[in-house]
Amino acid sequence: MSGVDVDAVAKTVQAEIERQTEAAFASMSADELAQTVQKLEEQLEKAKAALAAQESGPARAVAASSASGSLPPLPWGEGTVDGAKVHKFVDETMSKRIMIIDGAMGTTIQQYKFTEADFRGDRFKDYHRDIKGNNDMLVLTQPDTIRDIHRRYFEAGADICETNTFSGTTIAQADYGMEELVYEINYTSAQLAVEAAKEVTAKEPHKPRLVAGAIGPTNRTLSISPSVEDPGFRNCTFDEVVTAYKEQVGALVAGGVHLLLVETIFDTLNAKAALYAIDEFWDENSNLSRLPTMISGTIVDQSGRTLSGQTTEAFWVSVMHAKPICIGLNCALGATQMLPFMQALSGCADTCHVHSYPNAGLPNAMGGYDQTPEAFAKEVRQFADLGLVNLLGGCCGTTPDHIKALAQEVASIKPRVKPTPPELPRMKISGLEAVTVDLKQFGFLNLGERCNLAGSAKFKKLIMDNEYDKALDVAKHQAENGAQVLDINMDDGMLDGVAAMTKFLNMAIPEPDVSRLPMMVDSSKFHILEAGLKCCQGKCIANSISLKEGEEDFIKKAKIIKRFGAAVVVMAFDEEGQAAGYEDKVRICKRAYDILVGPRVQFPREDIIFDPNILTIATGLEEHNNYGKDFIQACQWIKSNLPGAKISGGVSNLSFGFRGLNALREAIHAVFLYHAINNGMDMGIVNAGAMPIYSDIPEPMRTYCEEVVLNKSEDGNHVERLLKFAEEEKERKSAGGGAVAKTNKLEWREKPVRERLTYSLIKGISEFVDEDTEEARQAIKSPLQVIEGPLMDGMNEVGDLFGAGKMFLPQVIKSARVMKKAVAYLIPYLEEEKAQVRAAREAAGLPPEEDKPKGTVLMATVKGDVHDIGKNIVSVVLGCNNYRVVDIGVMCPCDKILDAAIAEKADVIGLSGLITPSLDEMVFVAQEMERRGFKQPLLIGGATTSKMHTAVKLTPKYSGFICHVLDASRAVGVVASLLDDRLRDDFVADTREQYDEMREEHYASLADRKFLTLEKARSKALAPDWKAIPRPVKPKLLGTKALLKYPLKELVPYIDWNPFFAVWQLRGKYPNRGYPKIFNDEAVGSEAKKLHDDAVALMNEFIEKGLIEARGVVGIWPANSVGDDIEVYGDESRGDKIATFHTLRQQEERDDEHYLAMSDFVAPKDSGVPDYIGAFAVSAGFGSEELCEKYKKENNDYNVIMTEAIADRLAEAFAELL
């Protein structure tokens, strides 16, 4: 290990030792402190003696002998090393005897007592900064000495020497400004070590020597923030570290090393970056032979953990994916202190050999090491005697003499016997601690879902509000409440998922209460998944990938996850869609398994987790009733046919139809899990704290749930039975938990017909619908008005109740079917009414009206998404309401959707999607609709969609109407409003107003806004071709003109009365928002009408008596823009600049193509196009102050407010007129 005594890593370790020593001093008694002082004084005398001996010792060997003559090649090949041969030799040799690796490069270099001038040599004599201490670059200025050190270690008995490249990355060399020399340093260092290996091997051909390319930890840590104030901050990224390591690996391989050694790992995430770089290097250089990799960690103190907090076993689990030929520990501790941790590592590293190269004891008070070669060798021997190791060596404080003594000490001791791994290893994952996944031995694994935006409304709000520290408390509570793995998901259309995932995990990793647990990094966007994996030092679970984009995409993603060393969740999707039934579940899982364990990926079987899709049961659609049973049977098949594979799933999906009845939902989950676990389900996203034990679920609830979960009962009426039970539970809940009072079940039949129809729809009662529909028809006369009136009102109430969690999904389906029956009853009367209209027009000599169908709705699940159950329910509900529904399926590309909309003459287009990437695809569809000139309304729905996302991300992309539809129960009302000429305009205007407000609130409330640089914003300015567009017309007026005593009567038609009602805080509800519809509102209509009448009367009085006066002034001048400024000129010569308007350009990051300034709308000066700018100022308040004073003296506050409001409306009307 090169340069340890000056490297930042050693400083960190030393500081930790000093910190703990200081803490110990504080707790000592006076006697203990006196004894400690005596011992330290003895150590100090020893250090002084050692220093004196070195100063009076042999002269420093600045000029070591250079290599001469040609040497025979090593057995591993000349030039390109045969990695397979090296692996075979090392594996066999370590199985026969304990091999020896060299000692400390830094300690040995110190023997040469190099000065700053020696470090510089001729090449760097004029370098701009000090470089003494940069041991790695001595391979360029003192190459003979470095070669000589390798030779000395080989001659002392070392089988393997490390290259002098401990700090050989651009990150570490940045301390000296020598980043550009990294490749040369590593390449040269490898060649020097190989030359020494050849030289000694030529003398001892029976014992060929090897060179390990030393890859140190860098002086940065990826798991710990360097800032106390900001635990989420990192001063380098995973990608930067990978890039640095990959350059080092390339140079070492090119220089001829035989093994790669990732060493002195104090932060496992740094090591994972190195291992990632190594694997990526071999993947990119497939023509080269893969060299064996060795891995060496560092336990910093007696806690038995790395500096970043991992236990020895967790460290092994985190790096075992790299399949090292040997793993071990080095540095920080002496052999005695290291012993228990070596025992732990030797016990768990069941697929490779084990090594140790400890320090020469603990450092003395001066930072030096006193342990003699003989004492070091005897202390290290205990590892060999206990059968713990296959390779031994030395770290800080050791020299060739220490290695010689060690080699002699262990020469006759047999090495550790490498365990024979089981045919089917158990799955292991890790955080700071390791977890073994074994259903039979350790039981079901609870995946905590409270740190999932879709699993916790509280967590989502905290993340959206940028309160990450409080969100971290949610994770802590999950860990305290028994979660064994934390599921972290940051998928939301309104969130930067990569930034959120990175920030949260970076804050979570230093929290031991949280990071002791393994993480499930969860995202439907693979780049967010990758971002999460780059933050975790432990072995994670990556959730998820699937075959929906085809095999090549699946293989690519699986190989990346494997490179991170993570386990993988595979969703049961393929190119055809989501696996709903048993046959599809097993077919897709089998196909995915074969690909993963096959030669192209070689994914560990035990690390494959299938999610065969837990889908909603008891929805009211018969085809959904077997979903629970299908999942359970698929579990059994997977366990029997796909060795090693695990099974997981999101259990809450199962009971989605019973929102609002949490006790019933948890009972359904408990029953389901009882059967699923018994059939092999290993883990799941569950709310463990709320779920009852299967045997504790009271009857008859347990039987009802079991019948529905297994879709089996004697009479076949189990879904209806559970639905009835759910309704009773809801009523009991509404009654405060007490007994529900018995009522006459037909009491509702005595209510008016409108209420009876609504009751039938809500309760799903079809028995009386024909007679009630007929009664309504008789009363209303028009069958169409029966549909659009009482029936539609009833369906809207169904939507409100479902949205509030007071109705269940099966009830909504039943309601739709009652609606369908009522409409079917009215169809003959509708046809009769049409015939009468046709006859009447024909008798009057008028052409027949075009027979317009109720409407066609095109439905599609967007590209990249295979979920269609919710969409299918919407289709059923719309179909039951007599709409023509064209469902073109799942994974639909944009062109397919839009072409189908044209071919089917769709009146409305509906897009569905469950996963977050679908939101981006929906944005693309909206953009394409705008580009292709579509006008149809676009409806958006699905689990990850939201009204806010629709308002912020979608509506700016399409000038047509876009509306978010919350669920199936709302679809009918929305479509009906859009296709009714009488309702459409108000509905569209009202929705757009809501979305405009939401969009502005969103941008105003962003706590962590991002801004473009002004330069970048200016590059995105609106830049029309001023020569191509019509030239600005020269105005008739140039200069200013005053408008005095402007006739108020001319302003009245321009008045917008809506702000007037806002002054009085009167606001109607849709469809009665806005003037004049506000007069029809039940709550505020009458008061609004009275207020308006008073205002009109008072305004007319003002006009007739001339009590107030309107005045204005308007000006127009020649103008041109210069950048973000607008220059205003005195005349058409444009030479006399009379003013400059400095306009501001938008910089806040938005989903807009252009970042605008007002100057963009004025022709630039250099365009040669003459342009103009206008301004005006108006008021209709002259005289209003006097009137208000008069009314105040009369104590008429009502007229004071009214006068101000009227003057305000007239002033705006004046502005509108101008």
Side-chain angles (χ1 to χ4, degrees):
M1 191 175 86
S2 157
V4 170
D5 57 316
V6 296
D7 190 88
V9 179
K11 291 179 182 176
T12 303
V13 173
Q14 182 66 28
E16 179 65 14
I17 293 170
E18 290 172 2
R19 183 189 68 77
Q20 294 189 24
T21 304
E22 289 170 6
F25 289 161
S27 62
M28 285 181 180
S29 67
D31 289 343
E32 290 172 331
L33 283 170
Q35 292 175 6
T36 302
V37 169
Q38 183 179 349
K39 288 179 181 178
L40 290 174
E41 286 175 345
E42 292 172 359
Q43 291 285 80
L44 179 60
E45 291 304 315
K46 290 180 181 178
K48 288 179 178 178
L51 179 63
Q54 287 187 16
E55 288 176 345
S56 61
R60 54 192 174 85
V62 175
S65 60
S66 60
S68 60
S70 61
L71 296 168
L74 293 167
W76 341 114
E78 193 75 46
T80 301
V81 174
D82 189 331
K85 275 188 178 181
V86 174
H87 191 286
K88 184 174 185 294
F89 173 80
V90 172
D91 184 47
E92 290 178 351
T93 305
M94 284 188 177
S95 300
K96 295 174 183 176
R97 65 176 176 85
I98 296 175
M99 295 185 76
I100 302 296
I101 193 168
D102 60 357
M105 174 63 75
T107 301
T108 310
I109 286 174
Q110 289 174 8
Q111 294 180 341
Y112 292 78
K113 301 177 183 178
F114 288 137
T115 65
E116 174 70 27
D118 297 326
F119 268 84
R120 288 173 177 270
D122 291 336
R123 181 171 175 179
F124 299 104
K125 65 180 181 181
D126 297 323
Y127 197 66
H128 62 281
R129 66 171 78 173
D130 289 346
I131 57 176
K132 183 180 179 182
N134 185 5
N135 287 347
D136 290 32
M137 55 80 60
L138 288 174
V139 301
L140 305 180
T141 57
Q142 301 293 340
D144 294 336
T145 300
I146 300 303
R147 187 192 304 104
D148 187 55
I149 292 173
H150 292 315
R151 181 186 52 75
R152 289 171 60 197
Y153 272 120
F154 279 133
E155 289 176 342
D159 294 279
I160 303 170
C161 271
E162 300 176 49
T163 55
N164 182 35
T165 54
F166 184 77
S167 299
T169 60
T170 51
I171 293 172
Q173 286 299 316
D175 288 350
Y176 299 96
M178 291 186 163
E179 300 96 313
E180 293 181 0
L181 298 174
V182 160
Y183 190 93
E184 184 182 358
I185 287 172
N186 283 277
Y187 180 82
T188 304
S189 188
Q191 288 195 316
L192 292 173
V194 170
E195 286 172 6
K198 288 180 178 179
E199 184 181 346
V200 178
T201 301
K203 299 175 185 176
E204 303 175 11
H206 64 284
K207 186 181 178 182
R209 300 316 204 262
L210 300 112
V211 173
I215 300 171
T218 80
N219 50 7
R220 306 287 176 91
T221 169
L222 288 170
S223 294
I224 304 171
S225 171
S227 168
V228 177
E229 294 78 17
D230 185 0
F233 173 70
R234 300 291 184 271
N235 56 5
C236 60
T237 68
F238 185 89
D239 290 337
E240 289 169 348
V241 176
V242 168
T243 299
Y245 277 134
K246 193 156 67 169
E247 181 180 5
Q248 182 179 28
V249 169
L252 290 171
V253 171
V257 299
H258 311 120
L259 306 103
L260 294 172
L261 172 56
V262 181
E263 67 163 336
T264 319
I265 298 162
F266 60 87
D267 180 350
T268 310
L269 189 53
N270 285 44
K272 287 176 72 175
L275 298 171
Y276 190 100
I278 290 169
D279 190 60
E280 194 169 61
F281 172 81
W282 295 125
D283 203 39
E284 293 171 357
N285 296 273
S286 55
N287 59 309
L288 298 177
S289 177
R290 231 176 234 262
L291 303 181
T293 299
M294 297 168 61
I295 300 173
S296 195
T298 297
I299 301 297
V300 297
D301 56 40
Q302 293 304 116
S303 69
R305 294 177 182 264
T306 63
L307 193 67
S308 56
Q310 278 198 311
T311 64
T312 309
E313 185 180 4
F315 164 64
W316 160 245
V317 171
S318 302
V319 299
M320 61 190 290
H321 65 279
K323 297 181 179 178
I325 193 168
C326 191
I327 190 166
L329 300 176
N330 75 288
C331 200
L333 303 174
T336 300
Q337 296 79 24
M338 193 182 284
L339 177 59
F341 316 127
M342 282 302 303
Q343 290 172 315
L345 183 59
S346 183
C348 65
D350 54 1
T351 60
C352 68
H353 299 290
V354 173
H355 71 253
S356 174
Y357 49 105
N359 291 346
L362 292 175
N364 59 34
M366 303 301 293
Y369 293 87
D370 301 325
Q371 200 167 51
T372 64
E374 293 74 20
F376 171 77
K378 290 188 180 300
E379 192 169 289
V380 175
R381 177 185 172 130
Q382 59 189 323
F383 297 153
D385 288 338
L386 292 171
L388 302 180
V389 293
N390 308 88
L391 172 75
L392 287 170
C395 199
C396 302
T398 60
T399 65
D401 291 339
H402 289 78
I403 297 305
K404 182 177 182 179
L406 176 62
Q408 292 171 350
E409 187 74 28
V410 301
S412 61
I413 303 175
K414 291 184 178 180
R416 167 184 180 263
V417 177
K418 186 172 70 170
T420 302
E423 184 179 344
L424 195 60
R426 294 190 297 185
M427 177 182 176
K428 293 182 179 180
I429 49 179
S430 63
L432 296 182
E433 297 165 9
V435 173
T436 300
V437 182
D438 188 321
L439 184 62
K440 291 181 180 178
Q441 185 173 353
F442 300 109
F444 185 79
L445 196 71
N446 287 323
L447 308 177
E449 66 170 341
R450 299 288 100 182
C451 295
N452 183 323
L453 295 189
S456 169
K458 177 184 177 181
F459 182 76
K460 180 176 180 178
K461 185 176 189 305
L462 291 171
I463 293 296
M464 300 304 280
D465 291 345
N466 203 37
E467 296 188 86
Y468 283 78
D469 52 341
K470 293 180 180 177
L472 206 55
D473 290 336
V474 176
K476 291 178 185 176
H477 292 148
Q478 278 270 275
E480 291 166 2
N481 291 335
Q484 293 157 289
V485 174
L486 292 181
D487 179 75
I488 314 294
N489 181 289
M490 296 291 174
D491 284 2
D492 187 274
M494 301 305 300
L495 192 65
D496 182 340
V498 169
M501 180 69 80
T502 302
K503 183 173 182 178
F504 182 77
L505 284 174
N506 278 349
M507 291 180 68
I509 296 303
E511 285 286 345
D513 292 339
V514 177
S515 59
R516 66 179 178 82
L517 298 180
M519 301 291 174
M520 174 180 274
V521 182
D522 184 353
S523 180
S524 51
K525 291 186 173 181
F526 193 72
H527 67 285
I528 299 177
L529 200 67
E530 279 190 277
L533 293 174
K534 291 172 183 178
C535 298
C536 300
Q537 64 172 331
K539 180 180 177 180
C540 301
I541 300 174
N543 184 10
S544 60
I545 59 174
S546 75
L547 284 160
K548 67 182 181 183
E549 298 286 354
E551 288 191 6
E552 290 304 317
D553 176 77
F554 179 71
I555 289 170
K556 177 184 176 184
K557 291 173 179 174
K559 290 172 82 171
I560 291 172
I561 291 171
K562 181 188 173 192
R563 187 169 286 154
F564 278 107
V568 65
V569 175
V570 180
M571 298 297 295
F573 304 152
D574 67 3
E575 301 90 338
E576 297 175 15
Q578 181 180 31
Y582 169 78
E583 290 79 10
D584 284 339
K585 290 180 191 295
V586 300
R587 173 182 59 81
I588 293 174
C589 290
K590 174 70 165 65
R591 179 184 170 204
Y593 181 87
D594 288 344
I595 294 169
L596 288 172
V597 302
R600 293 192 64 188
V601 183
Q602 298 179 39
F603 209 95
R605 295 178 296 173
E606 67 275 12
D607 288 343
I608 300 170
I609 306 164
F610 285 110
D611 185 338
N613 305 325
I614 299 176
L615 304 175
T616 307
I617 58 174
T619 64
L621 298 180
E622 188 175 349
E623 56 266 34
H624 297 174
N625 291 345
N626 218 46
Y627 283 164
K629 182 180 178 181
D630 286 340
F631 182 94
I632 292 166
Q633 290 181 330
C635 288
Q636 187 181 52
W637 187 93
I638 289 169
K639 285 296 181 179
S640 300
N641 294 276
L642 307 180
K646 309 297 183 293
I647 300 164
S648 179
V651 182
S652 63
N653 291 343
L654 187 76
S655 64
F656 178 76
F658 296 95
R659 287 188 309 167
L661 287 180
N662 289 340
L664 177 60
R665 292 191 70 182
E666 295 300 343
I668 293 172
H669 300 164
V671 169
F672 172 80
L673 280 173
Y674 173 79
H675 291 284
I677 292 170
N678 283 333
N679 282 274
M681 185 176 177
D682 299 273
M683 63 189 77
I685 299 176
V686 297
N687 187 359
M691 191 179 301
I693 299 170
Y694 172 81
S695 58
D696 291 346
I697 302 170
E699 293 289 4
M701 183 190 284
R702 189 172 81 192
T703 297
Y704 293 163
C705 292
E706 199 144 38
E707 289 177 340
V708 168
V709 166
L710 301 178
N711 194 26
K712 183 180 180 182
S713 63
E714 290 184 5
D715 59 5
N717 294 325
H718 42 275
V719 174
E720 288 294 325
R721 196 158 34 247
L722 183 64
L723 182 55
K724 181 182 177 184
F725 179 79
E727 290 172 352
E728 291 170 354
E729 285 293 300
K730 182 187 69 176
E731 291 173 4
R732 192 175 293 111
K733 184 179 178 183
S734 300
V740 180
K742 290 186 177 181
T743 59
N744 181 358
K745 290 187 177 181
L746 293 179
E747 185 180 342
W748 65 278
R749 298 297 303 152
E750 299 172 9
K751 295 181 178 182
V753 67
R754 280 179 172 266
E755 293 182 36
R756 296 203 304 271
L757 283 169
T758 297
Y759 188 90
S760 293
L761 287 165
I762 292 172
K763 297 297 183 181
I765 300 171
S766 59
E767 182 180 354
F768 306 101
V769 73
D770 285 358
E771 63 184 82
D772 287 346
T773 302
E774 173 59 21
E775 185 179 337
R777 188 184 71 83
Q778 293 289 346
I780 299 174
K781 301 302 181 188
S782 168
L784 183 60
Q785 289 179 20
V786 175
I787 295 172
E788 295 174 346
L791 291 176
M792 228 27 255
D793 290 344
M795 285 304 293
N796 285 334
E797 189 164 342
V798 168
D800 292 339
L801 291 170
F802 183 70
K806 296 177 180 179
M807 280 186 73
F808 320 124
L809 189 55
Q811 292 173 307
V812 173
I813 300 295
K814 288 177 69 176
S815 299
R817 286 172 176 155
V818 173
M819 178 75 171
K820 184 174 185 178
K821 186 176 181 184
V823 172
Y825 178 85
L826 290 170
I827 283 177
Y829 298 102
L830 287 166
E831 295 298 330
E832 183 182 336
E833 187 176 70
K834 289 178 184 177
Q836 291 172 357
V837 171
R838 280 196 298 270
R841 291 183 67 85
E842 188 176 341
L846 297 172
E849 284 185 329
E850 184 180 351
D851 191 8
K852 185 179 179 183
K854 188 166 184 182
T856 297
V857 181
L858 182 99
M859 303 281 291
T861 301
V862 296
K863 179 184 174 183
D865 203 325
V866 295
H867 298 87
D868 64 354
I869 293 173
K871 173 176 60 95
N872 293 345
I873 292 171
V874 172
S875 297
V876 169
V877 173
L878 288 173
C880 287
N881 284 269
N882 213 33
Y883 292 101
R884 175 175 174 254
V885 179
V886 179
D887 186 344
I888 61 171
V890 300
M891 296 281 288
C892 298
C894 178
D895 286 346
K896 179 181 178 180
I897 296 170
L898 301 187
D899 292 345
I902 295 170
E904 298 292 344
K905 298 182 179 177
D907 298 290
V908 176
I909 300 171
L911 302 182
S912 174
L914 182 75
I915 58 177
T916 309
S918 301
L919 300 177
D920 298 332
E921 185 64 19
M922 289 173 179
V923 171
F924 176 66
V925 173
Q927 290 174 320
E928 284 298 286
M929 288 178 71
E930 179 71 15
R931 185 183 68 81
R932 292 176 60 169
F934 275 70
K935 301 298 180 187
Q936 290 96 324
L938 177 62
L939 305 186
I940 302 296
T944 57
T945 65
S946 67
K947 186 184 286 188
M948 180 63 81
H949 178 269
T950 304
V952 176
K953 302 287 187 176
L954 281 160
T955 52
K957 306 299 183 185
Y958 181 48
S959 58
F961 178 67
I962 303 182
C963 181
H964 176 254
V965 183
L966 184 62
D967 51 55
S969 66
R970 305 283 182 175
V972 175
V974 172
V975 173
S977 297
L978 289 171
L979 299 185
D980 189 323
D981 293 339
R982 295 164 300 172
L983 300 176
R984 183 189 308 110
D985 291 345
D986 290 339
F987 178 77
V988 169
D990 182 71
T991 304
R992 279 182 166 158
E993 182 182 342
Q994 287 182 47
Y995 287 5
D996 288 345
E997 290 173 2
M998 292 175 72
R999 192 161 50 251
E1000 292 308 314
E1001 286 172 9
H1002 168 74
Y1003 285 120
S1005 66
L1006 288 179
D1008 201 6
R1009 300 185 190 184
K1010 295 181 180 179
F1011 293 87
L1012 269 62
T1013 63
L1014 183 57
E1015 181 181 347
K1016 189 169 183 180
R1018 283 172 173 165
S1019 72
K1020 293 177 175 285
L1022 183 68
D1025 185 350
W1026 288 93
K1027 296 290 179 68
I1029 61 177
R1031 292 168 74 88
V1033 177
K1034 181 178 180 180
K1036 294 180 181 178
L1037 169 69
L1038 285 178
T1040 61
K1041 180 179 180 179
L1043 304 170
L1044 305 177
K1045 294 186 178 181
Y1046 200 87
L1048 294 179
K1049 283 186 178 180
E1050 292 187 21
L1051 306 183
V1052 173
Y1054 294 92
I1055 292 177
D1056 175 6
W1057 286 104
N1058 288 312
F1060 170 79
F1061 295 114
V1063 169
W1064 296 94
Q1065 298 185 2
L1066 294 177
R1067 184 181 178 90
K1069 291 184 178 179
Y1070 176 82
N1072 296 316
R1073 291 178 67 180
Y1075 171 81
K1077 297 179 186 67
I1078 192 173
F1079 300 150
N1080 301 324
D1081 190 81
E1082 287 184 14
V1084 303
S1086 59
E1087 187 62 32
K1089 183 71 170 67
K1090 180 179 177 298
L1091 199 67
H1092 181 259
D1093 290 344
D1094 290 349
V1096 171
L1098 192 60
M1099 181 178 65
N1100 287 338
E1101 181 184 344
F1102 294 165
I1103 293 172
E1104 291 169 6
K1105 295 181 179 180
L1107 298 178
I1108 61 176
E1109 182 182 329
R1111 302 177 191 171
V1113 59
V1114 62
I1116 303 176
W1117 300 271
N1120 284 109
S1121 63
V1122 179
D1124 293 350
D1125 297 338
I1126 302 173
E1127 293 184 352
V1128 183
Y1129 309 111
D1131 54 42
E1132 281 285 24
S1133 70
R1134 302 176 185 260
D1136 178 20
K1137 183 172 71 174
I1138 60 174
T1140 301
F1141 289 107
H1142 303 286
T1143 70
L1144 293 176
R1145 184 166 298 283
Q1146 295 172 329
Q1147 286 179 258
E1148 186 181 4
E1149 204 169 278
R1150 294 177 176 239
D1151 290 327
D1152 294 324
E1153 186 178 351
H1154 299 295
Y1155 287 72
L1156 305 175
M1158 289 181 66
S1159 61
D1160 293 349
F1161 300 91
V1162 179
K1165 190 173 185 178
D1166 58 11
S1167 70
V1169 176
D1171 210 342
Y1172 305 87
I1173 191 170
F1176 63 81
V1178 295
S1179 173
F1182 292 97
S1184 64
E1185 288 187 13
E1186 291 79 4
L1187 280 173
C1188 288
E1189 285 300 318
K1190 172 179 173 293
Y1191 292 135
K1192 285 178 184 176
K1193 290 176 182 177
E1194 297 171 357
N1195 292 321
N1196 191 344
D1197 292 336
Y1198 180 75
N1199 271 13
V1200 170
I1201 298 172
M1202 189 67 80
T1203 299
E1204 291 173 341
I1206 291 169
D1208 173 72
R1209 293 298 82 219
L1210 286 169
E1212 187 179 312
F1214 198 1
E1216 187 71 21
L1217 181 146
L1218 284 178

